[in-house]
Amino acid sequence: MEATDRTPLIENALVCVSDLVTNVVQHARVDDLSVEVAVRGDRVVVSVLDGDHARRPRRRVARDGQEDGRGLALVRCLSVASGVTFVWDQLNVVGKCVWFEPLARTGP
């Protein structure tokens, strides 16, 4: 993102990617995952893909003192848009893609 002069997006994008990758490791438990960044005009879309289409991400409500359960809510707060799509191989679902468009960080 720095190469495309979108430096204000980097900090929020890093937090979101870290959270989504952690979710894959903890919940999907797959051997492989990938992170993709696409620049489309004035938009940047970051995607975390894995091969587990059965376990779909869901927002949870974290209780006081609970260390987990806030990841997808955090991604939503630090993004302009976010969502989940399936990854297809012809007519077969072979994985999922959690994507977001990072919100530009403002201030110091």
Side-chain angles (χ1 to χ4, degrees), residues 15-16 18-20 22-23 58-60 62 67-79:
V15 171
C16 293
S18 175
D19 247 45
L20 294 177
T22 298
N23 284 350
R58 61 180 176 86
R59 279 190 286 166
R60 299 182 340 200
E67 291 186 21
D68 60 348
R70 294 175 180 82
L72 292 178
L74 182 62
V75 170
R76 180 159 262 174
C77 287
L78 297 177
S79 303

Side-chain angles (χ1 to χ4, degrees), residues 9-60:
L9 304 177
I10 293 173
E11 191 170 323
N12 287 343
L14 288 173
V15 171
C16 293
V17 166
S18 175
D19 247 45
L20 294 177
V21 167
T22 298
N23 284 350
V24 170
V25 171
Q26 289 180 342
H27 302 292
R29 298 182 189 115
V30 294
D31 292 333
D32 297 312
L33 66 87
S34 63
V35 177
E36 297 177 356
V37 178
V39 178
R40 299 180 181 132
D42 62 343
R43 298 174 48 214
V44 174
V45 179
V46 182
S47 303
V48 177
L49 300 96
D50 70 68
D52 181 4
H53 61 84
R55 290 188 182 110
R56 297 183 181 122
R58 61 180 176 86
R59 279 190 286 166
R60 299 182 340 200

